[in-house]
Amino acid sequence: MSGSVVGWLRSAWRRLVAVVVRALDPLAIDHLTVARLSVAFGAFAGLWGTTDAMALRAEALTPGMGVWPAATYDAFFTTHGVTMLFFFATPVAFGLTTAVLPRLVGVEELAFPRIHALAFWLLPPGLFVARAPSLLDLLADVGLLGFRVRPPVVGWTLYPPMSLQPHAGIDLLLVGLSLGTLSTLLTALVVVVTVVTERTVPWARLDVFTWTMLVAAGLVVFSFPVLESAIALLLADRVLGTTFLAPPEGPMVFVNLFWFFGHPEVYVLVLPAMGVLSYLIPRFAGRDLFGKRSVVYSTLAIGVLSFGVWGHHLFASGVDPRVQASFMAVTLAVALPSAIKTFAWTTTLWNGSLRLEPPMLFCLGAVAWFVVGGVTGVLLASIPVDYAYHGTYYVVAHFHFLLVGTIVFGLVAGGYYWFPLLTGRRVDDRYARAHFWLSMVGVAVTFGALLALGLGGLPRRMATYPEVFAPMQTLATLGAFVLGVAQLLFVWGIVRALLVGDPAGDDPWGLAERGIEAREWSR
Amino acid sequence: MSRSAAVETARSTAERVAPHLPPERVVVTRAFDCALGAAAWFVPALLLVVGTPLPIVGLFGGLWLALVRPEHYVRLLRALGLDSPFARRALGVAGVTLWTLGPVAGPPTGTPVWLWFSVGLLGVAPYGGVGDRPDAITVVLGRVFGPVLALLALTPVLAAGGLVAGVQVAFAVTAALGVLALVLGVPLDETPTVSPSMSAFVEWAERLPPAERRLLLADTWARTGLAVVGPLFVAFSIQRLGDGFAEGAEVIALSLVVATVAAGGTHRVLSRIRELGSWTTPLLSVGGLLVATTAPLAVVLVPASPPAFAGTFAAVGVAQGGWTVLEDEVTDTLGEHRDTYRAARALLLIPPAVVGGLLFAVAPRTAFVLSSVLAGVGTVSYLRRVAR
Ligand code: HEM
């Protein structure tokens, strides 16, 4: 026994050195290396964003001022939102995509591999610059720094006039964010060009994941430049003294620009998860995707319609009712393609011979939370409901059911599924399953409790609240902490697989032996 | 260290660790135990802050003292079919969850906070206290490392959030760790059933020679003294240090670190001291009893400054060595009646804890003086035994 433990430690150490040396080669431009880096970086950012979330929930545990001052709470939700959206979700989604895309579309390498690598290397400075204010503040707190940069408290939406205040922290946040935006834009261009011009697989035989990611990348190409410009205008106002976004009209200009980006961004985030679901559910249900054509068309429909819904984020800001009504109609319309997909997934499951491997478990969880998040969202599309619940925890709960329940679950499903492709190993099922069940419980308790708080009318973005909400808040925190420790298990499963996992082989999910075609596993 | 020596050390460590693997289970279980232990110190103080009447705090402390030994529970749990290690830990997690909810769910629902804590205690207590099982971490890092780390982690949270918010956060983290530990699986640790028989014990005790009887009396008196203020020791220290309860919790957390380290250090050298000769045993016991007598007075009398309290807690830590020796003496004397004696003693300690709580309500200092007096009686009784 002791010999095997020493052997275990020795081989773990060798693997660790090998993994680090291979991963940190900045000159490597092959798609798999860069993809590995993106996924690893995204996961790191995701954990960092999770610690922000834990800090938020720790504060909300008690009604009065708890462990942090109010400004720190505001700083945490700002870094949380920015980190999760720009440095976790998109890098992981596109990292997984660029890892498998060449095999799925039948090419050796991505188009523009150098641009792809450059795009990745913009991310780490982006994240650290965006989060620098909090880090510097911490250093000042412990006396290692003689000056203070207050962390920005503007939220991920960056609305002026708040974001126009003279405050070096906001400058850093904006610069970091623009690096992140540029990175995503470049990666999306690489994906679009690879699929459209390099592809050797005919359109008709293109798999549904590639279709979905093509649309997501297309959305990035059209929407991220708008965000980049809005950030540039903000920076110009701040640094060069221009007044593009200054009151009285400026803020509304920004809000429109922001949500013209912001709503497609929602689909940029959710489409990769949808793509994973459409791709994996048939593989583990032993059936073809039901209505693949309608799934692809619905994806294209989302691509178009998502540019027509930005106004629904402005319902509560006094837009002309006729304009509001049209936005409401489009918003309800954009729910249709999502419903089509849900229908296709559930129908594919019907009478399938389900194999509840970890990726499939996460897919099923994602579908379930998608229904919850979707239903709570469609209710918000109705203007009267929006008036009532806008700015409450209802909204926070709604978008976390989607962001965590669907998007994180979907990406994790893809992560487990393609892990053998990225690393040659498989994560031990025991950890993956435990990770799944803890995450399910965590999401249900946390965001269920936040939904109840929202229905009770509790405003979001507040560090303190009336005592009656305290029990529900405590429940939410307990759930969130369970969700948090579940992610530690996730990390441990991965670290363990990297260090001492068994080789995954050529058919890690037993698809070939069941006669299921999966291009990424056939060399 | 030469290479082969290093490999040898690694191998022998690995050999001792191997039965406790997998590592994640050990780490998480240990983290749960230590987090629970660290936060639990502050429960009575928390109850006081949220306005629990003092006698009830005393009663709560008594209940705790009575319940905290797992063997008292085993028969009941076995009857309920809840005696598997998994069920015990699940009850522990449920208990901490109630403790997390109590302070916030109490006021709006109109239920007193102490009720939540008492019901939670029924779950926490059978779990069996903290860190008394050897595991891989104990093998490699010793018993002290985990509790100290947990207390050190708790300190900044207490400093930032104050007593209630800080301890609440600690409970919530503990509950989450407990859920994770449950998912990772629970190692089998069998707690033996005991079958106390009071009549046999009384019969036996009546035939005891005076010296042995004095030993048992010394033990009982000293523990009664500790029971009077034990549950309030941390709470009162915090109160003295801060203005009310606003400050001081973090200083006491650090003082507990000092005490834990002192206790760990003492235990390490204990066996070597005992090897020096048979005279070391009574010496150590007397030392422990003397600290039990003086510590309550010290908490009342020392200046309200962090070093003074850290010193007092350090002395209590060192005294753990003496108490262990005393307990060993008692166990040797009791033989097969050990479990009966312990069960009876646990019940006996409830009234003094309640009295302590009541006294604390009217005259806190008097409670501490009484505690010293009772422990003093125990000390005298022990001295009479050795003086013969
Ligand atoms: C690990 C589980 C998570 C928990 C417990 C959590 C919790 C929270 C909390 C408590 C807030 C602030 C609510 C308020 O006071 O308004 C928040 C805001 C937010 N979260 Fe999360 N979150 C989690 C994961 C995520 C993920 C994975 C994403 C994105 C992919 C995300 C995106 C956001 C955004 C965009 C905001 C709004 C920030 C703002 O108001 O500016 N969260 N989250």
Side-chain angles (χ1 to χ4, degrees):
Chain A
M1 185 65 198
S2 67
S4 73
V5 176
V6 174
W8 188 94
L9 287 172
R10 227 183 244 155
S11 74
W13 169 249
R14 286 209 193 104
R15 284 279 313 162
L16 183 70
V17 173
V19 168
V20 172
V21 167
R22 204 173 48 195
L24 285 184
D25 177 3
L27 298 178
I29 54 168
D30 68 283
H31 69 275
L32 207 52
T33 306
V34 177
R36 277 190 200 115
L37 286 170
S38 295
V39 174
F41 169 83
F44 165 76
L47 288 177
W48 203 351
T50 304
T51 58
D52 294 334
M54 298 305 121
L56 288 169
R57 292 310 318 164
E59 171 65 39
L61 198 54
T62 38
M65 202 42 81
V67 282
W68 321 106
T72 311
Y73 184 87
D74 301 353
F76 272 130
F77 72 64
T78 304
T79 47
H80 169 70
V82 167
T83 306
M84 285 300 199
L85 296 180
F86 294 96
F87 296 100
F88 155 67
T90 349
V92 170
F94 279 100
L96 290 175
T97 308
T98 51
V100 292
L101 193 64
R103 291 193 184 189
L104 293 181
V105 301
V107 296
E108 283 292 310
E109 194 36 270
L110 293 170
F112 311 138
R114 281 193 180 73
I115 291 187
H116 180 218
L118 171 70
F120 167 75
W121 287 105
L122 290 175
L123 285 174
L127 176 66
F128 282 97
V129 171
R131 302 201 51 136
S134 309
L135 292 175
L136 295 174
D137 197 42
L138 197 67
L139 289 182
D141 274 346
V142 294
L144 289 174
L145 206 64
F147 61 94
R148 238 174 223 287
V149 182
R150 273 179 301 121
V153 292
V154 289
W156 82 284
T157 41
L158 312 167
Y159 284 176
M162 195 147 170
S163 54
L164 290 176
Q165 289 166 350
H167 179 339
I170 300 181
D171 293 326
L172 288 170
L173 176 68
L174 291 174
V175 170
L177 209 51
S178 70
L179 290 176
T181 311
L182 185 60
S183 161
T184 310
L185 183 56
L186 293 177
T187 311
L189 278 170
V190 169
V191 169
V192 172
V193 174
T194 305
V195 178
V196 174
T197 67
E198 311 272 300
R199 173 181 43 84
T200 60
V201 175
W203 284 119
R205 294 198 50 226
L206 204 59
D207 67 279
V208 62
F209 180 70
T210 306
W211 269 114
T212 318
M213 288 313 299
L214 177 65
V215 174
L219 285 176
V220 170
V221 171
F222 285 107
S223 65
F224 273 51
V226 178
L227 174 65
E228 199 70 281
S229 331
I231 294 176
L233 292 180
L234 266 182
L235 275 171
D237 279 9
R238 300 176 56 79
V239 182
L240 305 177
T242 53
T243 54
F244 293 118
L245 303 176
E249 285 89 18
M252 250 351 246
V253 173
F254 180 86
V255 169
N256 277 286
L257 283 175
F258 185 86
W259 285 111
F260 184 81
F261 142 79
H263 206 83
E265 159 75 352
V266 171
Y267 288 96
V268 170
L269 293 167
V270 81
L271 278 175
M274 289 176 157
V276 169
L277 299 185
S278 305
Y279 189 74
L280 292 190
I281 287 178
R283 278 172 171 57
F284 290 96
R287 299 187 54 192
D288 286 341
L289 180 64
F290 179 87
K292 177 184 166 193
R293 190 181 286 262
S294 59
V295 170
V296 171
Y297 279 127
S298 70
T299 306
L300 294 171
I302 286 177
V304 177
L305 289 175
S306 65
F307 281 99
V309 289
W310 85 88
H312 76 207
H313 294 274
L314 320 176
F315 282 164
S317 47
V319 176
D320 183 315
R322 283 159 301 180
V323 179
Q324 285 194 10
S326 62
F327 277 122
M328 174 172 156
V330 184
T331 304
L332 290 170
V334 84
L336 270 180
S338 304
I340 292 175
K341 285 178 195 291
T342 314
F343 180 68
W345 297 326
T346 38
T347 318
T348 306
L349 293 173
W350 189 259
N351 276 344
S353 51
L354 307 189
R355 284 197 298 138
L356 296 180
E357 301 270 2
M360 181 63 157
L361 285 176
F362 275 95
C363 285
L364 296 179
V367 174
W369 295 128
F370 186 66
V371 173
V372 178
V375 169
T376 49
V378 167
L379 292 180
L380 275 183
S382 142
I383 294 170
V385 177
D386 189 59
Y387 268 111
Y389 291 119
H390 159 89
T392 70
Y393 267 98
Y394 181 93
V395 179
V396 177
H398 149 67
F399 68 69
H400 279 85
F401 275 124
L402 293 171
L403 288 171
V404 183
T406 304
I407 295 172
V408 173
F409 272 49
L411 293 179
V412 168
Y416 278 133
Y417 177 74
W418 284 310
F419 192 76
L421 188 77
L422 290 166
T423 66
R425 318 257 149 176
R426 234 185 96 161
V427 177
D428 190 325
D429 273 11
R430 283 173 307 159
Y431 301 109
R433 282 175 203 283
H435 175 212
F436 170 73
W437 287 111
L438 282 178
S439 302
M440 280 302 275
V441 172
V443 169
V445 174
T446 313
F447 303 118
L450 293 189
L451 197 68
L453 288 170
L455 291 172
L458 182 64
R460 63 189 276 209
R461 291 183 170 176
M462 304 287 283
T464 56
Y465 52 85
E467 219 172 53
V468 280
F469 295 110
M472 235 2 139
Q473 288 273 26
T474 304
L475 209 58
T477 298
L478 282 168
F481 285 3
V482 169
L483 201 50
V485 294
Q487 308 322 307
L488 294 181
L489 196 60
F490 178 46
V491 173
W492 170 245
I494 287 176
V495 169
R496 205 174 161 281
L498 287 177
L499 297 183
V500 293
D502 296 328
D506 287 340
D507 185 21
W509 301 105
L511 296 176
E513 76 187 44
R514 290 177 174 76
I516 300 169
E517 186 201 344
R519 272 194 214 115
E520 68 269 42
W521 305 120
S522 49
R523 282 166 191 273
Chain B
M1 199 167 11
S2 77
R3 197 184 152 79
S4 66
V7 170
E8 212 27 66
T9 316
R11 183 155 295 161
S12 78
T13 310
E15 208 156 80
R16 284 180 294 144
V17 164
H20 306 292
L21 295 177
E24 68 276 0
R25 188 159 82 187
V26 179
V27 171
V28 173
T29 311
R30 186 65 159 172
F32 173 70
D33 285 358
C34 295
L36 181 57
W41 283 111
F42 295 89
V43 168
L46 189 149
L47 286 176
L48 283 179
V49 179
V50 299
T52 310
L54 284 159
I56 291 183
V57 178
L59 193 63
F60 179 80
L63 188 66
W64 196 331
L65 289 178
L67 293 184
V68 83
R69 303 210 67 90
E71 64 264 22
H72 296 170
Y73 253 86
V74 171
R75 303 177 124 236
L76 177 65
L77 291 180
R78 201 157 283 173
L80 295 172
L82 289 173
D83 65 329
S84 74
F86 182 88
R88 288 233 308 274
R89 173 142 339 132
L91 281 175
V93 175
V96 189
T97 308
L98 285 182
W99 285 5
T100 319
L101 283 169
V104 291
T109 54
T111 42
V113 175
W114 58 263
L115 194 63
W116 289 78
F117 274 82
S118 304
V119 177
L121 186 63
L122 297 181
V124 173
Y127 176 60
V130 180
D132 40 12
R133 291 168 293 275
D135 61 27
I137 293 183
T138 333
V139 170
V140 181
L141 299 170
R143 284 176 190 283
V144 173
F145 179 79
V148 164
L149 201 67
L151 283 165
L152 286 178
L154 182 61
T155 308
V157 188
L158 286 173
L163 189 65
V164 179
V167 175
Q168 289 275 97
V169 171
F171 282 148
V173 173
T174 310
L177 282 172
V179 173
L180 182 58
L182 281 178
V183 170
L184 287 175
V186 181
L188 295 170
D189 62 337
E190 276 308 310
T191 313
T193 353
V194 297
S195 34
S197 154
M198 211 50 211
S199 54
F201 172 70
V202 172
E203 207 173 288
W204 170 82
E206 277 169 357
R207 281 187 275 111
L208 267 185
E212 316 276 83
R213 201 174 306 157
R214 283 194 188 118
L215 174 66
L216 297 189
L217 282 176
D219 177 62
T220 311
W221 279 114
R223 281 179 189 272
T224 310
L226 288 178
V228 171
V229 293
L232 297 161
F233 202 82
V234 164
F236 183 65
S237 305
I238 297 175
Q239 203 176 32
R240 269 211 68 204
L241 266 175
D243 175 14
F245 280 100
E247 306 137 28
E250 67 272 18
V251 175
I252 293 305
L254 289 178
S255 302
L256 283 167
V257 169
V258 174
T260 314
V261 172
T266 312
H267 271 110
R268 276 183 162 246
V269 294
L270 205 57
S271 61
R272 250 175 284 156
I273 298 181
R274 290 169 103 173
E275 275 164 18
L276 291 179
S278 58
W279 50 273
T280 54
T281 300
L283 203 63
L284 287 166
S285 293
V286 170
L289 287 166
L290 281 176
V291 174
T293 312
T294 48
L297 278 182
V299 178
V300 178
L301 296 177
V302 295
S305 73
F309 275 86
T312 309
F313 276 68
V316 173
V318 173
Q320 301 273 340
W323 299 346
T324 307
V325 173
L326 182 66
E327 180 72 12
D328 288 349
E329 280 193 90
V330 171
T331 309
D332 285 347
T333 308
L334 286 165
E336 63 191 287
H337 300 287
R338 194 184 68 189
D339 294 321
T340 314
Y341 173 76
R342 282 191 181 162
R345 188 176 66 186
L347 290 179
L348 198 71
L349 295 184
I350 301 179
V354 180
V355 170
L358 283 169
L359 252 187
F360 193 77
V362 276
R365 278 152 208 271
T366 316
F368 280 79
V369 173
L370 176 68
S371 161
S372 278
V373 170
L374 293 170
V377 175
T379 313
V380 171
S381 174
Y382 189 90
L383 287 174
R384 284 180 64 200
R385 156 186 151 89
V386 276
R388 259 183 265 246

